[in-house]
Amino acid sequence: MSTGSLLAADLVVAVLAAAGWLGAGAASAARRRPVALGLAAFALLATVARAITITALARAGWWFAAEKVLVAAPLSLAALVVSGAGLLRARRDLRSVAVPLLFAGYAESAALLVTVLHGYPASAGVGLLAVSGVVAATAVSWRLLGPRPSRAVSRAVVALAAVALVAGVGLAVAPAAAPAGQHTHEYRAAPTVGEPTRRFTLTAGTATVGVSGREVAAWAFNGQVPGPELTAAVGDVIEVTLRNRDIGRGVTLHWHGYDVPNDQDGVPGVTQPAVLPGQEFVYRFRADQAGTYWYHTHAVSDVGVRMGLYGVLVVRPAPATGVDVTVPVHTLAGVPLPVPRVEPVPPGVPVRLRLVNTDSTTHRYALAGTPFRVAAIDGSDLRGPTPLVETAVLIPAGGRYDLVFEAPAGPVGLFVDGRVVYSTGPVAAATGGWPVLDPLSYGAGAPVPWSRFDRRFTLVLDRGLDLHGLLPRYAHTVNGAADPDIPPQVVRLGDTVRFTIVNRSLVVHPWHLHGHHVLVLSRNGRPASGSPLWLDSFDVRPGDVWEVAFSADNPGVWANHCHNLPHADAGMMLHLTYSSI
Ligand SMILES: [Cu+2]
């Protein structure tokens, strides 16, 4: 069973155990003896099953099981001891065992809440809060159902709940008192990189665009979705004037995957102010990386990109040969946008399909009718890519794959999520059953260029209750915190930096570090064996543990976030900053 499935199974058995004990307690209070015994037996089984899932998760990695081992396991043990002892003592009258059974239910519920609302890392404060809740709920049940406790017992219970509550609140709040990350807000002037050779103007504005025969409201660059395709050759200086006509929430341009100087990165509040209606901002940078990239607004990006403020950026190394097509895939107002039409290609002509996923979720692409190679991922050429036949590729949110092939005599078709988006003739390929390429074992391997790392960071991705904003929210968290309370990762220029990224949530998080490409070292303990993979967007699936590394060679303050943009908006965003010391 994969770690992702184990995480889901653990959640299910935790719910069943809590529901079973609570139901058994309620049934015994109502003197429903057979129901109470049945539910107690069911809850016992679920509790034992949870011991198995917790043990398996702890073996997969401490990040997956920390709070379960430290909080859930002791509470479950207490539940078993108290309810088991009660059941053994009770003869005919099960009502006397109602409170012990309810105690077990409260203990399992509290443990479940700790996992769902808090997660990783486990803390003494949260453990004590859980204990105080269990004690308080049990005391109330006891007063209502049980034999009246002595005054001394009542006082002891109240004191215990109060101490646990006060200590728990104190310990849970204490970390928030630590200063959050300081962002640099001193925006620097645009650098002098030489005379522009490629000039573009992008004007952002509200627009109405036609999709599949109906008119939908969009936000567009120059009135079109996607925005104009920007092209350059290596060595060009690109200058883009961004104007905002009427996007009230502001716009910027982020060059996704392009490692521009920090002040050109287009992150509002970090590298520049958002460009408001009537304002403009000029971006200028040298095109020194060939490959397939894209640009998009980073101001309220979850809304702005979905509404259409994006386009493709392609930098070609030399005069291109053959046919070179970009295929940006995007969903606007719930409808997949059509991809550009291509003229029929004579057999034998080389074709490069530049696939770009501009949505917030993974897409599955399948090319039918021809063998092909994956020549590049995220703008970086792969080493020794071999021909593939009837193989699908999964492209994460924000990611790009370049597929190359020689035009065959017969028709070819491109499928996205099982739907044909482009074809040069009738293709009837059932691509759904094709195997999916694992890029970590594709192409020719090469040694990792570093033997030691100056800095190591671990990012544990999860969900949790975030109480530090104006309104409580169920945030997407990193190491138990949500933006803007996630401490920045501080590096020095020249450091070799290693990240461990762990996903203990139940959803995919496409990870995206700005300003740098990371080299994939391993996934789930298996070293990358194929071509070196220099990525800027990669899917960290539930239960995944990725090890990646990069050279800290681009100073500034860089966003480091999930590229499922609603997740980033809901807290899953932190910053990588360079210290000057
Ligand atoms: Cu995410």
Side-chain angles (χ1 to χ4, degrees), residues 189-233:
T192 323
V193 289
E195 271 305 292
T197 44
R198 298 289 289 164
R199 276 199 176 92
F200 306 93
T201 298
L202 296 177
T203 302
T206 54
T208 304
V209 298
V211 185
S212 300
R214 67 186 177 102
E215 302 281 290
V216 300
W219 294 355
F221 286 121
N222 299 1
Q224 62 183 82
V225 178
E229 180 171 325
L230 309 185
T231 59

Side-chain angles (χ1 to χ4, degrees), residues 360 461 476 507-511 561-568 572:
S360 271
L461 315 180
H476 288 276
V507 292
V508 178
H509 295 296
W511 205 254
H561 65 99
C562 177
H563 215 278
N564 185 324
L565 296 172
H567 293 184
M572 201 167 261

Side-chain angles (χ1 to χ4, degrees), residues 16 27 57 70 108 157 205 230 259 368 415 454 477 544 577:
L16 294 178
L57 285 170
L70 297 174
E108 293 294 346
V157 166
L230 309 185
D259 299 333
F415 292 73
D454 304 299
T477 58
D544 268 3
T577 77

Side-chain angles (χ1 to χ4, degrees), residues 466-473 483-485:
D466 176 30
L467 297 171
H468 301 152
L470 286 176
L471 287 172
R473 59 175 178 168
D483 182 45
D485 295 323

Side-chain angles (χ1 to χ4, degrees), residues 119 122 215 234 301 386 477:
E215 302 281 290
V234 169
S301 56
T386 47
T477 58

